[in-house]
Amino acid sequence: GAGVSQSPSNKVTEKGKDVELRCDPISGHTALYWYRQRLGQGLEFLIYFQGNSAPDKSGLPSDRFSAERTGESVSTLTIQRTQQEDSAVYLCASSPWTGTGELFFGEGSRLTVL
Amino acid sequence: EDQVTQSPEALRLQEGESSSLNCSYTVSGLRGLFWYRQDPGKGPEFLFTLYSAGEEKEKERLKATLTKKESFLHITAPKPEDSATYLCAVIDTDKLIFGTGTRLQVFP
């Protein structure tokens, strides 16, 4: 069956440009999470969605970061005016409901800011 | 603030050499301790959930255990295909908080 799908798998951009990262969760999963993983480091929570509302945006590093979700489907993470410190793998995960620790992850979008 | 600390950061084992990975946590009201495996270039893959002290879960060569302050992932007679980064996590207000992981390398 289809898992969590993320695109693009790789993105190279210049400092100051905007980027959009997309996540297609498993069908029927109401909860969707975004994490950031810098090279050699652990997963850093960014934001999660319950349906199309975002109860917890506490992990977004700055106002350059935003995310939205359409219904219980696709989510987009947007980074405006990218900086070199934004370079990382951005991982998306989904689960049937919130409050569970069993998440299904995509393979990530690797962002490199030159 | 809830915290998850893993040790060691990296572990090199000979094939067949058993060992344990540690995950210490501080959380108000544990709602589960979760272990994941992450292969290079991939997203983490769920392995186990432990809910209460004394609980144990097994899968092939892996066994996870839980006390009131820490969890151990025991690897018995590992094989090269067990090489990966192992992450533990706890729930904090409906989101998972991860440790930084232990990078395991098993050599033939």
Side-chain angles (χ1 to χ4, degrees), chain A residues 92-106:
Chain A
C92 175
S94 69
S95 64
W97 51 81
T98 56
T100 173
E102 185 175 348
L103 306 186
F104 297 81
F105 281 87

Side-chain angles (χ1 to χ4, degrees), chain B residues 5-103:
Chain B
T5 304
Q6 292 189 247
S7 63
E9 289 186 7
L11 183 61
R12 293 164 57 100
L13 298 175
Q14 203 72 33
E15 184 172 3
E17 179 187 1
S18 301
S19 188
S20 296
L21 283 54
N22 177 266
C23 172
S24 310
Y25 62 91
T26 55
V27 63
S28 52
L30 184 69
R31 292 164 55 194
L33 187 291
F34 306 88
W35 282 98
Y36 281 77
R37 170 187 171 133
Q38 186 175 24
D39 291 299
K42 306 285 187 183
E45 178 183 354
F46 171 78
L47 290 173
F48 302 112
T49 305
L50 300 165
Y51 286 110
S52 56
E55 188 174 357
E56 299 183 352
K57 293 276 180 70
E58 286 190 63
K59 180 179 181 178
E60 296 181 357
R61 296 174 292 283
L62 300 177
K63 182 169 80 172
T65 62
L66 182 66
T67 72
K68 289 187 177 179
K69 294 183 179 180
E70 56 193 350
S71 178
F72 293 93
L73 185 64
H74 308 276
I75 304 176
T76 302
K79 298 183 178 182
E81 53 262 41
D82 295 323
S83 297
T85 295
Y86 291 86
L87 300 163
C88 71
V90 297
I91 293 177
D92 170 31
T93 325
D94 287 345
K95 61 184 183 286
L96 274 187
I97 303 299
F98 285 87
T100 52
T102 294
R103 188 174 67 255

